[in-house]
mmCIF file of all heavy atoms in Angstrom:
data_model
loop_
_atom_site.group_PDB
_atom_site.id
_atom_site.type_symbol
_atom_site.label_atom_id
_atom_site.label_comp_id
_atom_site.label_asym_id
_atom_site.label_seq_id
_atom_site.Cartn_x
_atom_site.Cartn_y
_atom_site.Cartn_z
ATOM 1 N N MET A 284 14.854 -0.946 -1.404
ATOM 2 C CA MET A 284 13.641 -1.412 -1.982
ATOM 3 C C MET A 284 13.294 -2.878 -1.501
ATOM 4 O O MET A 284 12.812 -3.717 -2.236
ATOM 5 C CB MET A 284 13.696 -1.438 -3.524
ATOM 6 C CG MET A 284 13.794 -0.115 -4.150
ATOM 7 S SD MET A 284 13.688 -0.184 -5.943
ATOM 8 C CE MET A 284 14.130 1.500 -6.430
ATOM 9 N N ALA A 285 13.588 -3.172 -0.223
ATOM 10 C CA ALA A 285 13.259 -4.473 0.323
ATOM 11 C C ALA A 285 11.770 -4.691 0.318
ATOM 12 O O ALA A 285 10.991 -3.769 0.635
ATOM 13 C CB ALA A 285 13.758 -4.611 1.707
ATOM 14 N N HIS A 286 11.291 -5.856 -0.077
ATOM 15 C CA HIS A 286 9.858 -6.142 -0.175
ATOM 16 C C HIS A 286 9.637 -7.636 0.000
ATOM 17 O O HIS A 286 10.551 -8.467 -0.233
ATOM 18 C CB HIS A 286 9.272 -5.664 -1.507
ATOM 19 C CG HIS A 286 9.960 -6.313 -2.672
ATOM 20 N ND1 HIS A 286 11.090 -5.818 -3.232
ATOM 21 C CD2 HIS A 286 9.655 -7.429 -3.417
ATOM 22 C CE1 HIS A 286 11.482 -6.568 -4.275
ATOM 23 N NE2 HIS A 286 10.637 -7.584 -4.400
ATOM 24 N N GLY A 287 8.430 -7.995 0.401
ATOM 25 C CA GLY A 287 8.151 -9.395 0.644
ATOM 26 C C GLY A 287 6.640 -9.658 0.717
ATOM 27 O O GLY A 287 5.844 -8.778 1.039
ATOM 28 N N ALA A 288 6.313 -10.948 0.527
ATOM 29 C CA ALA A 288 4.891 -11.324 0.622
ATOM 30 C C ALA A 288 4.847 -12.800 1.065
ATOM 31 O O ALA A 288 5.731 -13.582 0.710
ATOM 32 C CB ALA A 288 4.189 -11.180 -0.743
ATOM 33 N N VAL A 289 3.752 -13.115 1.773
ATOM 34 C CA VAL A 289 3.513 -14.552 2.255
ATOM 35 C C VAL A 289 2.271 -15.065 1.605
ATOM 36 O O VAL A 289 1.240 -14.306 1.615
ATOM 37 C CB VAL A 289 3.425 -14.525 3.797
ATOM 38 C CG1 VAL A 289 3.174 -15.965 4.253
ATOM 39 C CG2 VAL A 289 4.626 -13.945 4.475
ATOM 40 N N SER A 290 2.237 -16.236 1.049
ATOM 41 C CA SER A 290 1.037 -16.780 0.511
ATOM 42 C C SER A 290 0.032 -17.152 1.588
ATOM 43 O O SER A 290 0.458 -17.315 2.755
ATOM 44 C CB SER A 290 1.357 -18.043 -0.297
ATOM 45 O OG SER A 290 1.771 -19.106 0.533
ATOM 46 N N ARG A 291 -1.215 -17.216 1.265
ATOM 47 C CA ARG A 291 -2.208 -17.567 2.273
ATOM 48 C C ARG A 291 -2.028 -18.857 2.883
ATOM 49 O O ARG A 291 -2.278 -19.106 4.138
ATOM 50 C CB ARG A 291 -3.613 -17.472 1.676
ATOM 51 C CG ARG A 291 -3.969 -16.028 1.170
ATOM 52 C CD ARG A 291 -5.392 -15.875 0.881
ATOM 53 N NE ARG A 291 -5.671 -14.526 0.315
ATOM 54 C CZ ARG A 291 -6.834 -13.936 0.306
ATOM 55 N NH1 ARG A 291 -7.874 -14.522 0.831
ATOM 56 N NH2 ARG A 291 -6.944 -12.727 -0.203
ATOM 57 N N SER A 292 -1.514 -19.800 2.168
ATOM 58 C CA SER A 292 -1.254 -21.193 2.734
ATOM 59 C C SER A 292 -0.018 -21.195 3.622
ATOM 60 O O SER A 292 0.140 -22.139 4.430
ATOM 61 C CB SER A 292 -1.044 -22.184 1.580
ATOM 62 O OG SER A 292 0.176 -21.889 0.876
ATOM 63 N N GLY A 293 0.820 -20.157 3.509
ATOM 64 C CA GLY A 293 2.081 -20.113 4.267
ATOM 65 C C GLY A 293 3.215 -20.932 3.652
ATOM 66 O O GLY A 293 4.318 -21.003 4.159
ATOM 67 N N ARG A 294 2.920 -21.544 2.465
ATOM 68 C CA ARG A 294 3.968 -22.369 1.822
ATOM 69 C C ARG A 294 5.017 -21.542 1.094
ATOM 70 O O ARG A 294 6.178 -21.887 1.051
ATOM 71 C CB ARG A 294 3.338 -23.382 0.889
ATOM 72 C CG ARG A 294 4.339 -24.164 0.076
ATOM 73 C CD ARG A 294 3.661 -25.169 -0.877
ATOM 74 N NE ARG A 294 4.716 -25.815 -1.689
ATOM 75 C CZ ARG A 294 4.411 -26.727 -2.615
ATOM 76 N NH1 ARG A 294 3.161 -27.095 -2.812
ATOM 77 N NH2 ARG A 294 5.391 -27.282 -3.332
ATOM 78 N N TRP A 295 4.575 -20.426 0.515
ATOM 79 C CA TRP A 295 5.423 -19.700 -0.401
ATOM 80 C C TRP A 295 5.778 -18.288 0.182
ATOM 81 O O TRP A 295 4.936 -17.620 0.808
ATOM 82 C CB TRP A 295 4.688 -19.485 -1.700
ATOM 83 C CG TRP A 295 4.290 -20.707 -2.422
ATOM 84 C CD1 TRP A 295 3.047 -21.330 -2.332
ATOM 85 C CD2 TRP A 295 5.093 -21.534 -3.245
ATOM 86 N NE1 TRP A 295 3.067 -22.473 -3.134
ATOM 87 C CE2 TRP A 295 4.283 -22.634 -3.681
ATOM 88 C CE3 TRP A 295 6.418 -21.439 -3.686
ATOM 89 C CZ2 TRP A 295 4.769 -23.582 -4.527
ATOM 90 C CZ3 TRP A 295 6.876 -22.444 -4.556
ATOM 91 C CH2 TRP A 295 6.093 -23.503 -4.973
ATOM 92 N N LEU A 296 6.985 -17.898 -0.041
ATOM 93 C CA LEU A 296 7.456 -16.527 0.204
ATOM 94 C C LEU A 296 7.968 -15.921 -1.119
ATOM 95 O O LEU A 296 8.748 -16.585 -1.798
ATOM 96 C CB LEU A 296 8.583 -16.523 1.268
ATOM 97 C CG LEU A 296 8.310 -17.081 2.638
ATOM 98 C CD1 LEU A 296 9.559 -17.032 3.509
ATOM 99 C CD2 LEU A 296 7.122 -16.433 3.309
ATOM 100 N N ALA A 297 7.595 -14.699 -1.344
ATOM 101 C CA ALA A 297 8.100 -13.959 -2.499
ATOM 102 C C ALA A 297 8.752 -12.686 -1.974
ATOM 103 O O ALA A 297 8.139 -11.963 -1.228
ATOM 104 C CB ALA A 297 6.940 -13.642 -3.467
ATOM 105 N N TYR A 298 9.945 -12.413 -2.369
ATOM 106 C CA TYR A 298 10.717 -11.241 -1.865
ATOM 107 C C TYR A 298 11.800 -10.876 -2.806
ATOM 108 O O TYR A 298 12.076 -11.520 -3.806
ATOM 109 C CB TYR A 298 11.190 -11.573 -0.452
ATOM 110 C CG TYR A 298 12.069 -12.780 -0.305
ATOM 111 C CD1 TYR A 298 13.431 -12.763 -0.435
ATOM 112 C CD2 TYR A 298 11.463 -14.057 -0.042
ATOM 113 C CE1 TYR A 298 14.234 -13.892 -0.323
ATOM 114 C CE2 TYR A 298 12.263 -15.176 0.115
ATOM 115 C CZ TYR A 298 13.585 -15.099 -0.019
ATOM 116 O OH TYR A 298 14.420 -16.268 0.102
ATOM 117 N N GLY A 299 12.468 -9.793 -2.403
ATOM 118 C CA GLY A 299 13.624 -9.285 -3.188
ATOM 119 C C GLY A 299 13.991 -7.908 -2.707
ATOM 120 O O GLY A 299 13.461 -7.348 -1.783
ATOM 121 N N SER A 300 14.877 -7.286 -3.491
ATOM 122 C CA SER A 300 15.366 -5.914 -3.247
ATOM 123 C C SER A 300 15.925 -5.366 -4.540
ATOM 124 O O SER A 300 15.940 -6.060 -5.594
ATOM 125 C CB SER A 300 16.421 -5.949 -2.143
ATOM 126 O OG SER A 300 17.602 -6.626 -2.605
ATOM 127 N N GLN A 301 16.372 -4.176 -4.472
ATOM 128 C CA GLN A 301 16.779 -3.469 -5.717
ATOM 129 C C GLN A 301 17.883 -4.213 -6.410
ATOM 130 O O GLN A 301 17.909 -4.188 -7.629
ATOM 131 C CB GLN A 301 17.323 -2.050 -5.301
ATOM 132 C CG GLN A 301 17.904 -1.278 -6.443
ATOM 133 C CD GLN A 301 18.307 0.144 -6.020
ATOM 134 O OE1 GLN A 301 17.545 0.962 -5.704
ATOM 135 N NE2 GLN A 301 19.629 0.310 -6.043
ATOM 136 N N GLY A 302 18.789 -4.858 -5.723
ATOM 137 C CA GLY A 302 19.896 -5.505 -6.362
ATOM 138 C C GLY A 302 19.721 -7.013 -6.626
ATOM 139 O O GLY A 302 20.715 -7.678 -7.067
ATOM 140 N N SER A 303 18.526 -7.536 -6.474
ATOM 141 C CA SER A 303 18.367 -8.988 -6.516
ATOM 142 C C SER A 303 17.539 -9.373 -7.729
ATOM 143 O O SER A 303 17.124 -8.567 -8.492
ATOM 144 C CB SER A 303 17.606 -9.494 -5.259
ATOM 145 O OG SER A 303 16.249 -9.137 -5.332
ATOM 146 N N GLU A 304 17.360 -10.681 -7.911
ATOM 147 C CA GLU A 304 16.386 -11.156 -8.814
ATOM 148 C C GLU A 304 15.039 -11.245 -8.064
ATOM 149 O O GLU A 304 14.989 -10.976 -6.857
ATOM 150 C CB GLU A 304 16.773 -12.583 -9.318
ATOM 151 C CG GLU A 304 18.029 -12.595 -10.144
ATOM 152 C CD GLU A 304 18.397 -14.067 -10.595
ATOM 153 O OE1 GLU A 304 18.499 -14.896 -9.695
ATOM 154 O OE2 GLU A 304 18.584 -14.230 -11.794
ATOM 155 N N HIS A 305 13.995 -11.595 -8.725
ATOM 156 C CA HIS A 305 12.672 -11.937 -8.061
ATOM 157 C C HIS A 305 12.892 -13.332 -7.383
ATOM 158 O O HIS A 305 13.277 -14.326 -8.070
ATOM 159 C CB HIS A 305 11.543 -12.000 -8.991
ATOM 160 C CG HIS A 305 11.256 -10.680 -9.734
ATOM 161 N ND1 HIS A 305 10.995 -9.571 -8.958
ATOM 162 C CD2 HIS A 305 11.097 -10.392 -10.998
ATOM 163 C CE1 HIS A 305 10.738 -8.585 -9.792
ATOM 164 N NE2 HIS A 305 10.783 -9.039 -11.050
ATOM 165 N N LEU A 306 12.671 -13.401 -6.082
ATOM 166 C CA LEU A 306 12.979 -14.607 -5.343
ATOM 167 C C LEU A 306 11.731 -15.267 -4.830
ATOM 168 O O LEU A 306 10.890 -14.583 -4.233
ATOM 169 C CB LEU A 306 13.919 -14.315 -4.189
ATOM 170 C CG LEU A 306 15.237 -13.632 -4.577
ATOM 171 C CD1 LEU A 306 16.022 -13.192 -3.364
ATOM 172 C CD2 LEU A 306 16.096 -14.585 -5.468
ATOM 173 N N LEU A 307 11.577 -16.602 -5.020
ATOM 174 C CA LEU A 307 10.412 -17.345 -4.581
ATOM 175 C C LEU A 307 10.885 -18.522 -3.864
ATOM 176 O O LEU A 307 11.582 -19.410 -4.376
ATOM 177 C CB LEU A 307 9.590 -17.747 -5.811
ATOM 178 C CG LEU A 307 8.360 -18.635 -5.550
ATOM 179 C CD1 LEU A 307 7.299 -17.884 -4.717
ATOM 180 C CD2 LEU A 307 7.802 -19.152 -6.890
ATOM 181 N N LEU A 308 10.497 -18.628 -2.548
ATOM 182 C CA LEU A 308 10.938 -19.788 -1.695
ATOM 183 C C LEU A 308 9.768 -20.639 -1.359
ATOM 184 O O LEU A 308 8.743 -20.180 -0.829
ATOM 185 C CB LEU A 308 11.583 -19.196 -0.394
ATOM 186 C CG LEU A 308 12.010 -20.218 0.625
ATOM 187 C CD1 LEU A 308 13.070 -21.114 0.094
ATOM 188 C CD2 LEU A 308 12.459 -19.558 1.926
ATOM 189 N N ASP A 309 9.931 -21.934 -1.670
ATOM 190 C CA ASP A 309 9.035 -22.977 -1.272
ATOM 191 C C ASP A 309 9.429 -23.471 0.100
ATOM 192 O O ASP A 309 10.473 -24.210 0.253
ATOM 193 C CB ASP A 309 9.007 -24.137 -2.281
ATOM 194 C CG ASP A 309 8.053 -25.238 -1.922
ATOM 195 O OD1 ASP A 309 7.525 -25.278 -0.748
ATOM 196 O OD2 ASP A 309 7.777 -26.086 -2.809
ATOM 197 N N ILE A 310 8.751 -23.086 1.186
ATOM 198 C CA ILE A 310 9.139 -23.442 2.518
ATOM 199 C C ILE A 310 9.000 -24.888 2.819
ATOM 200 O O ILE A 310 9.799 -25.517 3.569
ATOM 201 C CB ILE A 310 8.361 -22.573 3.584
ATOM 202 C CG1 ILE A 310 8.714 -21.101 3.441
ATOM 203 C CG2 ILE A 310 8.674 -23.091 4.968
ATOM 204 C CD1 ILE A 310 8.010 -20.258 4.460
ATOM 205 N N GLU A 311 7.992 -25.541 2.218
ATOM 206 C CA GLU A 311 7.762 -26.989 2.536
ATOM 207 C C GLU A 311 8.933 -27.799 1.984
ATOM 208 O O GLU A 311 9.431 -28.690 2.690
ATOM 209 C CB GLU A 311 6.461 -27.437 1.814
ATOM 210 C CG GLU A 311 5.220 -26.973 2.503
ATOM 211 C CD GLU A 311 3.959 -27.550 1.849
ATOM 212 O OE1 GLU A 311 4.083 -28.396 0.942
ATOM 213 O OE2 GLU A 311 2.858 -27.171 2.275
ATOM 214 N N LYS A 312 9.456 -27.496 0.802
ATOM 215 C CA LYS A 312 10.576 -28.221 0.267
ATOM 216 C C LYS A 312 11.855 -27.530 0.414
ATOM 217 O O LYS A 312 12.920 -28.062 0.132
ATOM 218 C CB LYS A 312 10.308 -28.485 -1.228
ATOM 219 C CG LYS A 312 9.060 -29.302 -1.542
ATOM 220 C CD LYS A 312 8.826 -29.465 -3.042
ATOM 221 C CE LYS A 312 7.627 -30.291 -3.338
ATOM 222 N NZ LYS A 312 7.391 -30.460 -4.813
ATOM 223 N N TYR A 313 11.814 -26.313 0.928
ATOM 224 C CA TYR A 313 12.920 -25.426 1.074
ATOM 225 C C TYR A 313 13.778 -25.386 -0.253
ATOM 226 O O TYR A 313 14.959 -25.625 -0.272
ATOM 227 C CB TYR A 313 13.880 -25.745 2.203
ATOM 228 C CG TYR A 313 14.376 -24.462 2.811
ATOM 229 C CD1 TYR A 313 13.668 -23.731 3.812
ATOM 230 C CD2 TYR A 313 15.627 -23.937 2.413
ATOM 231 C CE1 TYR A 313 14.144 -22.588 4.309
ATOM 232 C CE2 TYR A 313 16.103 -22.757 2.907
ATOM 233 C CZ TYR A 313 15.341 -22.106 3.833
ATOM 234 O OH TYR A 313 15.773 -20.851 4.358
#
Side-chain angles (χ1 to χ4, degrees):
M284 296 186 188
H286 58 276
V289 181
S290 69
R291 297 195 183 198
S292 67
R294 175 180 174 180
W295 302 95
L296 301 180
Y298 53 92
S300 65
Q301 176 177 293
S303 74
E304 296 179 306
H305 296 306
L306 303 172
L307 176 67
L308 177 61
D309 181 347
I310 293 182
E311 287 185 5
K312 299 179 179 178
Y313 215 86

